[in-house]
Amino acid sequence: MPKEGIMPRAQDYSQWYLDIVQQAELCDYAEVVRGCIVFKPTGYALWEAIQRGLDDRIKATGHVNAYFPLLIPKSFITKEAEHVAGFAPELFEVTRIGTDELAEPLVIRPTSETIIGYFYAKWIRSYRDLPLLINQWANVMRAEMRTRPFLRTAEFLWQEGHTVHVDEADAERETLMILHDVYADFVEQEMAVPVIKGLKTEKEKFPGALRSYSIEAMMQDGRALQAGTSHNLGQNFARAFNISFTDQNNTIQTAWTTSWGASTRLIGALIMSHSDDEGLIVPPRLAPTQVVVVPIYKNDAEKSAVLAAVAQITSPWKGRLRFKIDDRDNLTPGFKFNEWEVKGVPVRVEVGPKDVEKGSVAVARRDMPGKAGKAFVPQAGLTERLEQLLVDIQQNLYDRALTFRADHTADVATYDDLKAQVERGFARCYWAGSTEDEQRIQDETKATIRCIPLEQPGSTGKCVYTSKETTQQVIFARAY
Amino acid sequence: MPKEGIMPRAQDYSQWYLDIVQQAELCDYAEVVRGCIVFKPTGYALWEAIQRGLDDRIKATGHVNAYFPLLIPKSFITKEAEHVAGFAPELFEVTRIGTDELAEPLVIRPTSETIIGYFYAKWIRSYRDLPLLINQWANVMRAEMRTRPFLRTAEFLWQEGHTVHVDEADAERETLMILHDVYADFVEQEMAVPVIKGLKTEKEKFPGALRSYSIEAMMQDGRALQAGTSHNLGQNFARAFNISFTDQNNTIQTAWTTSWGASTRLIGALIMSHSDDEGLIVPPRLAPTQVVVVPIYKNDAEKSAVLAAVAQITSPWKGRLRFKIDDRDNLTPGFKFNEWEVKGVPVRVEVGPKDVEKGSVAVARRDMPGKAGKAFVPQAGLTERLEQLLVDIQQNLYDRALTFRADHTADVATYDDLKAQVERGFARCYWAGSTEDEQRIQDETKATIRCIPLEQPGSTGKCVYTSKETTQQVIFARAY
């Protein structure tokens, strides 16, 4: 029986997504501010968990946080030619402060390469100041025609790293390190979402970048979602903003810069990787609440016995499990079970009068709804059992997503096969086409080259579109 | 001998402040975006420490975080009469998105009562939904005529809590709980800054509030700094945005709301409470780096012996002390001592070849510069000794600030005494004057009533200005 308020995935995946977002109370639509959403507490708690995981890795790899202005002089955006072409149509412009009309508009940052580049040019003098490794947590705004909660919103939250290096090799090392050690590591280890690391094509790269890399995840409808991007900006922004330094031979050199970002769209990736027709599923390592305890009783005598048992059972959990005791008095256990299921808490522990008698509890795992995932276990050793269960659930979610991706990825040798495959998932193929070929394929199939995977087969084959011999394989898919 | 680049406090306090901000690399001026600053890594790390301390307390008192849109329809601001009068002259207006001219401008939030009130009206149906206890971490913008790093900038970072309650008593309880358990507790315990908790006068309250409370700290020049405010908004915003609920008798009631905020100006409070002519002083509990170790050597043999000793000495510190080993090779120990002194690290540990021989180290405490604060101590038991030293420094900084405030606070009985006292600190006096009297005093002395302290003497006396008999004492001071 489908859950109230949630469209089954098989019937309408797009509506299912909107229903999960609504029913799990992740966000609200801010219809009064075009294209914006409110991050409700349950949704924002996911973002806080994502922030923690990314911030730890960003700092562990030698970066520090800073904060640059929200507003950017509009002229800054126009200093890098590709950059302005990419962002000008999407800018929110401030033209008035109080009663003052501004001579030059300020724009709300769509991304901060330009304003940060301006300051870096002031701060950097010598090779001794490099590498400069700074990250910023911020809100940004880009006008969007079609919005979708978390995936595409006018305002979103993200981190943007901006670094400066003495040469191309060091900038490239940084760009790839971030891709591997920050983004892929976080998304796979904490979010339990397997990713493909790869290079973007010229058509898909960041406006102003020399090379863009991304991690690409597969959603449950076979579509790709770009979950983090890392750009080697070459000397493009350094030239535009005059970021230069004196090298060891006392000659002035133009610097090399990188930028990299991951945003609140990761919440969308999380939802569409694991959740089911019952609601959200949050992987244990990321979950703000890992275990919810629901006490069950019918009268005051039962209540006091059960709550005393719950207090005793949970007393060793502090510092080991993130848990919540749902002792709300005006709601039935069934209502509570449903609420925590919809909100994706990994494990539910039920304690009733019989459990008090028998020294047992019922444990239900969210990744296996219904009887399959429910067990009656002794209270003795419960903490260790739950710790292990959380590890198992984390692994199961990752394995499931990996299996799903394998089942929905196929090597294709012909354009017809490619067309058929992108209806159901990722199409892997040899590619030697041009940007124009790529655009034609997009127009005809709605699929784009998601990336040129860093892991290549090392063999040669014929391009799926041009039939030219090549060693390069790519992934085609429809994308969010 | 004055430190290079730092004006002695006694000579020009205002310039000293700017020098500290500059020399400790806390921020840069964003002259291209009127009134804005860049939070440089050292300054932003202080904000991260402040965020952690406040966020822990906000959550421990039952609140959850959420995030609302940056932009607000301009018409929202005008819905509450006092609110619009307070904020309209300071608004940053977005009038264009891409090439679209907006029919109604959007403004960058100067504070979020209005946009949050709009959503709360949608979300709240029944008394069961209350209290609603939400906090937001965000950037806000207000045009400012005269700016000063951290203390008054066009864009600043803050947290703003917004809560909804069934009645006035519950809203008042929340407002005061935040003042005591979140703001005063954090600022006194972690920042080592003593504060006076009090009620704002009608003249000084938040535009739209029923009652505003604040914590007021004394800076080293005797001026007051408002370090956090908590407002009982009564039903003003609830009426303007129609936030109502069905009560237990099934009748519709208008809700009561509160809001409360603390911002990056706390960084300014930190600087002006503790720092000296040598640079910044950061209290140990807040310090991102509590102990810096500087190895001292003249040749490779000494270097390897010293670094081995440093590794051994610091190995038990992980998880107990936040420390940094400054092993930069191209800088002299003297340069390093100076840098960490200017940046305010609470304790410096020096390890040289003689220390390796003797099993000793030199320990220098930042709150007592020079010989007075330096001691040679055995390596054995060093971890515990440093832990205790950090506790002592924290206490010393608090005690020093408290003594300073006591020395610069006086009871005044006449207007002449008041005028003289606000030149050097806080003037405490009986007060029964009007808002007009208060304004006249401000025009004549530049001092305002900082607050009506919650702790009152319980006696009566004559108003310093009107000579009317009253039980109410207030604090007059010049303020940042």
Side-chain angles (χ1 to χ4, degrees):
Chain A
M1 198 184 72
K3 197 154 225 169
E4 204 187 315
I6 301 179
M7 169 72 68
R9 282 176 292 178
Q11 218 167 307
D12 183 345
Y13 193 77
S14 175
Q15 185 59 45
W16 167 83
Y17 177 79
L18 298 178
D19 288 348
I20 294 291
V21 162
Q22 191 74 16
Q23 295 294 321
E25 299 182 35
L26 301 178
C27 78
D28 195 4
Y29 299 96
E31 62 292 335
V32 290
V33 193
R34 205 201 290 183
C36 289
I37 60 170
V38 176
F39 293 78
K40 293 180 87 169
T42 314
Y44 195 80
L46 292 176
W47 179 237
E48 288 182 298
I50 291 169
Q51 282 192 296
R52 229 173 350 254
L54 288 173
D55 198 62
D56 286 349
R57 285 167 175 79
I58 288 167
K59 285 177 175 153
T61 51
H63 305 81
V64 286
N65 288 330
Y67 186 78
F68 294 84
L70 169 71
L71 298 180
I72 304 177
K74 194 178 177 187
S75 61
F76 278 26
I77 306 286
T78 63
K79 289 199 183 185
E80 209 291 330
E82 284 187 17
H83 196 68
V84 64
F87 287 109
E90 304 182 354
L91 298 174
F92 285 71
E93 291 189 21
V94 171
T95 61
R96 198 182 303 138
I97 302 178
T99 54
D100 271 20
E101 300 288 337
L102 299 181
E104 187 198 343
L106 295 163
V107 302
I108 295 176
R109 60 185 161 220
T111 177
S112 301
E113 279 77 7
T114 58
I115 185 89
I116 293 181
Y118 170 83
F119 287 102
Y120 282 180
K122 285 172 58 182
W123 296 350
I124 293 166
R125 290 281 160 266
S126 145
Y127 70 94
R128 286 193 199 86
D129 301 324
L130 302 180
L132 182 61
L133 306 172
I134 290 181
N135 176 63
Q136 163 170 279
W137 289 97
N139 52 343
V140 291
M141 292 199 78
R142 303 173 186 177
E144 295 285 355
M145 292 297 288
R146 257 178 285 174
T147 58
R148 207 173 167 71
F150 302 120
L151 298 172
R152 202 169 290 281
T153 51
E155 182 182 7
F156 58 93
L157 306 179
W158 77 346
Q159 61 65 220
E160 46 179 324
H162 296 272
T163 69
V164 188
H165 305 265
V166 291
D167 58 24
E168 179 169 7
D170 202 52
E172 186 74 5
R173 199 177 302 125
E174 165 81 9
T175 308
L176 285 167
M177 185 278 287
I178 292 294
L179 194 76
H180 291 290
D181 298 348
V182 177
Y183 294 150
D185 188 73
F186 169 73
V187 172
E188 297 198 324
Q189 298 303 315
E190 311 258 331
M191 290 180 56
V193 175
V195 296
I196 295 173
K197 304 170 206 170
L199 180 68
K200 287 285 180 185
T201 60
E202 277 298 307
K203 174 173 171 297
E204 297 287 326
K205 76 175 167 61
F206 177 76
L210 182 64
R211 276 186 293 278
S212 289
Y213 297 89
S214 73
I215 52 171
E216 301 282 333
M218 181 185 283
M219 304 296 99
Q220 294 164 339
D221 61 351
R223 288 171 71 178
L225 187 144
Q226 175 178 296
T229 50
S230 186
H231 315 291
N232 184 336
L233 300 175
Q235 297 182 305
N236 295 337
F237 286 89
R239 269 192 295 263
F241 288 90
N242 199 18
I243 308 173
S244 60
F245 63 96
T246 310
D247 71 10
Q248 276 158 299
N249 304 318
N250 229 10
T251 62
I252 292 174
Q253 303 280 358
T254 300
W256 296 75
T257 67
T258 85
S259 71
W260 28 276
S263 76
T264 36
R265 83 189 317 238
L266 284 174
I267 299 172
L270 185 80
I271 298 167
M272 291 196 291
S273 293
H274 304 305
S275 305
D276 61 17
D277 292 352
E278 314 296 316
L280 183 68
I281 297 182
V282 186
R285 289 189 62 179
L286 202 71
T289 302
Q290 297 173 311
V291 180
V292 63
V293 182
V294 180
I296 300 170
Y297 48 81
K298 291 211 184 79
N299 53 50
D300 282 356
E302 285 184 3
K303 181 179 170 180
S304 66
V306 166
L307 289 185
V310 165
Q312 208 207 333
I313 291 164
T314 56
S315 69
W317 294 5
K318 270 154 214 139
R320 294 176 70 175
L321 300 168
R322 295 189 290 274
F323 68 99
K324 197 190 277 279
I325 298 168
D326 186 354
D327 55 5
R328 289 176 294 175
D329 237 346
N330 53 336
L331 301 170
T332 65
F335 182 95
K336 294 177 183 178
F337 293 175
N338 183 66
E339 175 169 337
W340 299 115
E341 216 163 70
V342 171
K343 290 192 174 168
V345 174
V347 173
R348 180 179 74 236
V349 171
E350 306 165 12
V351 185
K354 279 195 186 148
D355 296 305
V356 176
E357 266 172 46
K358 292 192 211 162
S360 65
V361 301
V363 173
R365 50 191 286 183
R366 177 63 187 87
D367 61 334
M368 293 184 185
K371 282 188 184 157
K374 190 158 172 175
F376 297 87
V377 304
Q379 291 172 16
L382 183 62
T383 312
E384 292 71 20
R385 185 187 286 266
L386 291 175
E387 285 177 329
Q388 185 56 47
L389 181 59
L390 293 174
V391 171
D392 294 347
I393 294 173
Q394 183 84 22
Q395 189 64 45
N396 181 47
L397 290 173
Y398 183 83
D399 292 345
R400 226 153 70 170
L402 193 63
T403 303
F404 182 89
R405 190 182 76 186
D407 290 348
H408 292 77
T409 301
D411 291 296
V412 295
T414 69
Y415 188 37
D416 279 347
D417 287 353
L418 186 153
K419 281 184 192 161
Q421 176 58 23
V422 297
E423 299 274 346
R424 52 182 297 277
F426 289 1
R428 192 168 39 211
C429 55
Y430 288 98
W431 177 256
S434 65
T435 296
E436 293 69 35
D437 295 334
E438 214 179 317
Q439 185 62 55
R440 259 190 305 273
I441 293 177
Q442 180 175 3
D443 294 343
E444 288 168 19
T445 68
K446 294 186 196 135
T448 49
I449 297 180
R450 298 320 302 152
C451 69
I452 306 161
L454 297 185
E455 273 186 47
Q456 288 284 329
S459 53
T460 61
K462 284 196 168 151
C463 170
V464 73
Y465 195 71
T466 64
S467 298
K468 280 183 222 153
E469 199 81 10
T470 176
T471 59
Q472 175 181 273
Q473 282 201 343
V474 302
I475 304 283
F476 269 96
R478 293 180 182 161
Y480 279 99
Chain B
M1 199 184 74
K3 197 154 223 166
E4 203 187 317
I6 301 180
M7 169 72 71
R9 281 176 293 178
Q11 216 167 310
D12 182 346
Y13 194 76
S14 176
Q15 186 58 45
W16 167 84
Y17 178 78
L18 298 177
D19 288 347
I20 293 291
V21 161
Q22 192 74 15
Q23 295 294 321
E25 299 181 36
L26 300 179
C27 79
D28 194 5
Y29 299 94
E31 61 291 336
V32 289
V33 193
R34 201 201 294 183
C36 289
I37 59 170
V38 176
F39 293 78
K40 295 181 87 167
T42 313
Y44 195 79
L46 292 176
W47 179 237
E48 287 182 299
I50 291 170
Q51 281 192 296
R52 230 176 347 257
L54 287 173
D55 198 63
D56 285 350
R57 284 168 176 78
I58 288 167
K59 285 177 175 151
T61 50
H63 305 81
V64 287
N65 288 331
Y67 186 78
F68 293 84
L70 169 71
L71 298 180
I72 303 177
K74 193 177 176 187
S75 61
F76 278 27
I77 306 284
T78 63
K79 288 198 183 186
E80 209 290 329
E82 284 186 18
H83 196 68
V84 64
F87 288 108
E90 305 181 356
L91 298 174
F92 284 72
E93 291 190 20
V94 171
T95 60
R96 199 182 304 138
I97 303 178
T99 53
D100 271 20
E101 300 287 339
L102 299 182
E104 187 198 342
L106 295 163
V107 302
I108 294 177
R109 60 185 162 220
T111 178
S112 301
E113 280 76 7
T114 59
I115 186 89
I116 293 181
Y118 170 83
F119 287 102
Y120 282 0
K122 285 172 57 183
W123 297 350
I124 293 166
R125 289 283 160 265
S126 143
Y127 70 93
R128 286 194 199 85
D129 300 325
L130 302 180
L132 183 62
L133 306 173
I134 290 180
N135 176 63
Q136 163 170 279
W137 289 97
N139 52 345
V140 291
M141 292 199 78
R142 303 173 186 176
E144 296 285 355
M145 291 298 287
R146 258 177 286 175
T147 58
R148 204 173 170 72
F150 303 120
L151 298 173
R152 200 170 293 280
T153 52
E155 182 182 7
F156 58 93
L157 306 178
W158 77 347
Q159 61 65 221
E160 46 179 326
H162 295 272
T163 69
V164 188
H165 304 266
V166 291
D167 57 24
E168 179 170 6
D170 203 51
E172 186 74 4
R173 198 177 303 125
E174 166 80 8
T175 309
L176 285 167
M177 186 277 288
I178 292 294
L179 193 75
H180 290 290
D181 298 349
V182 177
Y183 294 149
D185 188 72
F186 169 73
V187 173
E188 296 198 326
Q189 298 303 316
E190 312 258 330
M191 290 180 55
V193 175
V195 296
I196 295 174
K197 305 171 205 167
L199 178 68
K200 287 285 181 186
T201 60
E202 276 301 304
K203 174 173 170 299
E204 296 288 324
K205 76 175 168 63
F206 178 76
L210 182 63
R211 276 186 292 277
S212 288
Y213 297 90
S214 74
I215 53 171
E216 301 283 332
M218 182 186 283
M219 303 295 100
Q220 294 165 339
D221 60 351
R223 288 171 70 177
L225 187 145
Q226 175 178 296
T229 50
S230 186
H231 315 291
N232 183 336
L233 301 175
Q235 296 182 306
N236 295 337
F237 285 90
R239 269 193 295 264
F241 287 90
N242 199 18
I243 307 173
S244 59
F245 64 95
T246 309
D247 70 10
Q248 275 158 300
N249 304 318
N250 229 10
T251 61
I252 293 175
Q253 302 279 359
T254 300
W256 296 73
T257 66
T258 84
S259 71
W260 27 278
S263 76
T264 36
R265 82 190 317 238
L266 283 174
I267 299 171
L270 186 79
I271 298 168
M272 290 195 290
S273 293
H274 304 305
S275 305
D276 62 18
D277 291 352
E278 314 297 315
L280 185 67
I281 296 182
V282 186
R285 291 189 62 177
L286 202 71
T289 302
Q290 298 173 311
V291 180
V292 63
V293 181
V294 180
I296 301 169
Y297 48 83
K298 291 210 184 81
N299 53 50
D300 283 355
E302 285 183 3
K303 179 179 173 181
S304 65
V306 166
L307 289 184
V310 166
Q312 209 207 333
I313 291 165
T314 57
S315 69
W317 293 5
K318 271 156 212 137
R320 294 176 69 175
L321 300 169
R322 295 190 292 274
F323 68 101
K324 197 189 277 280
I325 299 168
D326 186 354
D327 55 5
R328 290 175 295 176
D329 237 347
N330 52 337
L331 301 170
T332 64
F335 182 96
K336 294 177 184 178
F337 294 175
N338 184 66
E339 175 169 338
W340 299 115
E341 215 163 70
V342 171
K343 290 192 172 167
V345 174
V347 173
R348 178 179 78 234
V349 171
E350 307 166 10
V351 184
K354 279 196 186 147
D355 297 305
V356 175
E357 266 172 48
K358 294 192 209 160
S360 65
V361 301
V363 173
R365 51 190 288 185
R366 177 63 186 87
D367 60 334
M368 294 183 187
K371 282 188 182 157
K374 192 160 172 176
F376 296 88
V377 305
Q379 290 172 16
L382 184 61
T383 312
E384 292 71 21
R385 185 187 286 266
L386 291 175
E387 286 177 328
Q388 185 56 48
L389 182 58
L390 293 174
V391 171
D392 294 346
I393 294 173
Q394 183 83 24
Q395 189 65 46
N396 183 46
L397 290 174
Y398 182 83
D399 291 345
R400 224 152 73 168
L402 193 62
T403 302
F404 182 89
R405 189 182 76 186
D407 290 347
H408 291 77
T409 301
D411 290 295
V412 294
T414 68
Y415 188 37
D416 278 345
D417 286 352
L418 186 152
K419 281 184 194 161
Q421 177 57 23
V422 297
E423 299 275 344
R424 52 182 298 276
F426 288 1
R428 192 166 41 210
C429 54
Y430 287 98
W431 176 254
S434 65
T435 295
E436 293 70 34
D437 295 334
E438 213 179 319
Q439 185 62 53
R440 256 190 307 272
I441 293 176
Q442 180 175 3
D443 295 342
E444 289 169 18
T445 68
K446 295 188 196 134
T448 50
I449 297 179
R450 297 323 301 153
C451 69
I452 306 161
L454 297 185
E455 272 186 47
Q456 288 284 330
S459 52
T460 61
K462 281 194 172 155
C463 170
V464 73
Y465 196 70
T466 65
S467 297
K468 279 182 222 153
E469 199 79 9
T470 176
T471 59
Q472 175 180 275
Q473 281 200 344
V474 302
I475 303 282
F476 270 94
R478 292 181 183 161
Y480 280 98

